[in-house]
Amino acid sequence: MSNATDRLRIAVQKSGRLAEPSLALLRRAGLVFRSSRDHLFLYGENMPVDVLLVRDDDIPGLLVEGSCELGIVGRNVLTEQRLAAADSGGAAELLSLGFGGCRLAIAVPQGSAIGEPADLAGLRIATSYPALLADWLRENGVSADIVVLNGSVEIAPRLGKADAICDLVSTGATLAANRLRELVTVFESEAVLAAAPGILTPAKAALAGQLAARIAGALSGDGVRLLMLQAPRAMLPAIERMLPSRETPSVLSLDGRPDDVALQALCTVALDWQHLEALKRLGARGLMVLHVERMLA
Ligand code: PRT
Ligand code: ZN
């Protein structure tokens, strides 16, 4: 079922770790949605963009078959399916989205003698990510047996089904609760914006490009602050040296006050009270630090 309508479709996880942050990001990109009665579909009210709510594992396939043009999915799922399909025509990663961060790691029972990856030779490793694991084993010259499990991977060693596991880890609490010790990271992941491999109509390509640019713009404001102040013109060099600026600050003249200037600077590091007090000691006044909601270069 390829998407022959004029509306762009974006696939998002229906429920789970990525569901809420994905929709929140689309809202920050300016989309307004109305939910369908079956809650499987969100109709875009202010742009010709609809959201399909699906299982995360289905997203790469929906992109490859052309049912959706964009998707938000973990890089782990996207790459696993691309490696498993063994073709280069899979969905492409457009942007890292800064949430859903985790790592695919090999872990062994706490009491095990396995101390380094080479010790895994000839052992059984349980995982739901056989293609990513096989790729890592091949690159690292380790020959081990992969046991594919679709869930509860962390209990496989206790059940005697495997000697080690290869699973997603974020805090490490699940490994600790199952008396497992992390050995090595196989793959770093986070949520990504992915695109269908096929050629889009010009209208859809323009819409996808616009949406990707808006998402990038919403993300680029994360952690960025706008500092505003006024200061004696003579103190400008000293003040500029103190700024953790991301680019050259804008300096504006003030009507009727030739000896003073207003300054605006985008800063990527936190501006704490000490920073502001030091600027004030240099003569700055009316200091303000503002959150940046979105940016368009
Ligand atoms: O129903 P559906 O198939 O859509 O959901 P799902 O159950 O397959 O996915 P979900 O919601 O669990 O995860 C979706 C995506 O979130 C994953 O594909 C990853 O990209 C990302 N993600 C980030 C994680 C984690 N962190 C994570 N910690 N996915 C799973 N986990 C699991 C991990 O497998 C382990 O069981 O959480 C447990 C470990 O967590 P810690 O904090 O104890 O280390
Ligand atoms: Zn899933």
Side-chain angles (χ1 to χ4, degrees):
M1 84 167 182
S2 85
N3 176 16
T5 69
D6 289 340
R7 299 179 66 86
L8 194 79
R9 283 190 189 154
I10 175 161
V12 162
Q13 191 186 26
K14 182 176 193 308
S15 65
R17 285 182 164 81
L18 306 183
E20 258 317 302
S22 300
L23 290 183
L25 183 62
L26 293 177
R27 289 195 187 97
R28 284 179 68 195
L31 294 176
V32 177
F33 304 114
R34 174 161 40 85
S35 182
S36 68
R37 201 164 287 174
D38 55 11
H39 301 293
L40 296 176
F41 191 79
L42 300 176
Y43 179 82
E45 290 187 323
N46 63 339
M47 281 175 90
V49 177
D50 300 323
V51 179
L52 228 56
L53 300 171
V54 297
R55 290 201 51 195
D56 66 343
D57 317 73
D58 294 338
I59 293 175
L62 289 168
L63 292 170
V64 169
E65 73 187 33
S67 307
C68 291
E69 288 79 20
L70 294 174
I72 296 181
V73 63
R75 181 183 294 130
N76 50 311
V77 171
L78 191 67
T79 312
E80 173 69 21
Q81 295 199 19
R82 191 166 54 220
L83 291 172
D87 69 38
S88 53
E93 185 179 320
L94 294 186
L95 284 176
S96 299
L97 301 178
F99 60 88
C102 57
R103 56 194 182 275
L104 185 66
I106 297 179
V108 297
Q110 279 170 4
S112 128
I114 300 168
E116 54 177 284
D119 299 339
L120 294 165
L123 300 184
R124 297 161 304 161
I125 311 175
T127 190
S128 309
Y129 293 89
L132 281 168
L133 176 58
D135 201 52
W136 184 89
L137 290 170
R138 194 167 40 248
E139 282 199 353
N140 287 274
V142 179
S143 164
D145 292 333
I146 298 176
V147 179
V148 182
L149 295 180
N150 283 324
S152 306
V153 170
E154 63 280 356
I155 61 172
R158 248 184 299 149
L159 298 179
K161 287 188 185 172
D163 307 294
I165 68 162
C166 177
D167 200 8
L168 297 176
V169 181
S170 48
T171 63
T174 303
L175 293 185
N178 288 283
R179 306 190 55 75
L180 295 166
R181 161 169 62 84
E182 206 169 328
L183 186 68
V184 63
T185 295
V186 165
F187 190 78
E188 301 273 1
S189 184
E190 68 182 290
V192 300
L193 181 68
I199 296 168
L200 304 183
T201 62
K204 278 189 184 173
L207 205 51
Q210 183 188 19
L211 199 59
R214 282 193 182 188
I215 290 173
L219 293 172
S220 67
D222 285 352
V224 180
R225 302 284 182 274
L226 179 67
L227 170 70
M228 299 174 73
L229 55 81
Q230 295 190 3
R233 191 180 288 275
M235 295 311 291
L236 203 52
I239 286 178
E240 286 188 346
R241 273 198 297 278
M242 277 200 56
L243 293 178
S245 275
R246 147 167 173 147
E247 46 201 63
T248 316
S250 311
V251 177
L252 314 163
S253 299
L254 295 168
D255 273 352
R257 286 167 53 194
D259 295 337
D260 290 334
V261 290
L263 178 144
Q264 297 183 356
L266 283 176
C267 300
T268 38
V269 304
L271 282 159
D272 54 20
W273 285 110
Q274 278 97 321
H275 255 112
L276 299 190
E277 286 157 1
L279 289 165
K280 193 169 174 188
R281 281 196 293 276
L282 290 174
R285 292 181 308 275
L287 292 129
M288 273 191 277
V289 179
L290 309 177
H291 285 270
V292 175
E293 194 168 310
R294 52 181 76 100
M295 298 183 13
L296 197 59

